Amino acid sequence: MGAEDLLRTLLYTVNNLLQQRRYEAALAVVKGFRNGAVYGAKIRAPHALVMTFLFRSGSLREKLKAIAQATYTHSRNLAYFVFTYKGLRALQTRIQGKKIPFHSFLAACIGGWLVFGENNNINSQINMYLLSRILFGLSRLAVEKGYIPQPKQDPFPFFAAMVWGIVLWLFEYHRHTLQPSLQSSMTYLYDDSNVWHDVSDFLIYNKRPASK
C-alpha cells in the first residue's frame, strides 16, 4: 500500500468516525477546543500587534515576543475554557438524561474559575469585556420579563454620558484603579496631547524622536 492509499484510508476512517452519532458529544468537545484556539488567536493577534507597537517600548524582538505570548495565552485559555465547558455540559446531560439551564451556568462557572480565575492582563480584559456584555443582556432580559418597565425613551444617550463621565473622572483623579492598557490609551489621548515643542511632535509624531 502506497502513501497515497494509506492517506485515503486514514481519511475515510476519520470521516466515518465523525459520522458516528454515539461519539457526537465527545467530538463536539474536541472541535470546541479547536475553535477556541483559532478564535482566540484571531482576536488577540491583531489587538496585541497594534497595542504593542503603539505603547510598548523595547526592541523589535521583545515586541514580537510579547505579541506571540499574548496571542498564545488568549488562544490557549479560550481553548481550555470551551473544552471544559462543553465537556462538563455533556457530562451533566449524560448523568441526568436531559439538558437543563443550570447545566450551562454551573459548567461555565467551573470553567471560568479554572481557566480565567488567574488575575492577569489577558484574563482581566476578557472578563471585563464579558461583564459589559452581560450587563446589557441582563438589562434587556429584565425588560422582556417585565421586571423593569420598558423605557419611554432610548436610554442609550444617558448610558453613554455616564460611561464617559465616570471613566474620565477615574482617569483624571483615580488613575491607578483603571486597567493598565486603558491607562495607556487614555494617557496617549488626553495627557500626551498637552505636550509639544514644534511641528514635528505637534502633528507628525506624538513625542519628539530621541536624538542620536
Side-chain angles (χ1 to χ4, degrees), residues 97-115:
K98 61 179 180 178
K99 294 181 180 180
I100 59 176
F102 183 71
H103 289 170
S104 296
F105 179 77
L106 180 60
C109 281
I110 295 173
W113 179 283
L114 294 175
V115 179

Side-chain angles (χ1 to χ4, degrees), residues 52-164:
T52 298
F53 278 95
L54 273 179
F55 301 116
R56 191 184 183 99
S57 59
S59 65
L60 177 61
R61 182 177 181 179
E62 290 172 338
K63 290 180 178 179
L64 293 176
K65 183 179 179 181
I67 293 168
Q69 182 61 46
T71 302
Y72 168 75
T73 301
H74 194 146
S75 177
R76 180 200 63 195
N77 286 6
L78 199 53
Y80 283 176
F81 177 81
V82 177
F83 183 89
T84 303
Y85 170 72
K86 291 179 71 70
L88 290 175
R89 274 198 69 187
L91 179 61
Q92 291 175 97
T93 301
R94 185 175 182 85
I95 292 173
Q96 294 197 276
K98 61 179 180 178
K99 294 181 180 180
I100 59 176
F102 183 71
H103 289 170
S104 296
F105 179 77
L106 180 60
C109 281
I110 295 173
W113 179 283
L114 294 175
V115 179
F116 292 111
E118 180 182 351
N119 189 0
N120 56 49
N121 289 339
I122 301 296
N123 288 349
S124 180
Q125 289 172 5
I126 294 172
N127 289 337
M128 285 192 291
Y129 173 89
L130 290 177
L131 176 62
S132 64
R133 268 59 182 176
I134 65 174
L135 289 177
F136 259 89
L138 289 173
S139 299
R140 289 173 178 145
L141 184 61
V143 172
E144 289 179 6
K145 298 292 186 180
Y147 300 137
I148 59 176
Q150 177 74 37
K152 296 180 179 179
Q153 295 180 334
D154 183 6
F156 195 82
F158 176 75
F159 162 76
M162 293 303 297
V163 166
W164 284 96

Side-chain angles (χ1 to χ4, degrees), residues 16 26 40 46 49 54 105 144 171 182:
N16 185 58
L49 178 69
L54 273 179
F105 179 77
E144 289 179 6
F171 175 72
L182 180 58

Side-chain angles (χ1 to χ4, degrees), residues 156-174 177-178 182 186 190:
F156 195 82
F158 176 75
F159 162 76
M162 293 303 297
V163 166
W164 284 96
I166 291 171
V167 75
L168 264 300
W169 171 72
L170 286 173
F171 175 72
E172 296 289 0
Y173 299 104
H174 305 280
T177 63
L178 297 176
L182 180 58
M186 300 189 81
Y190 305 111

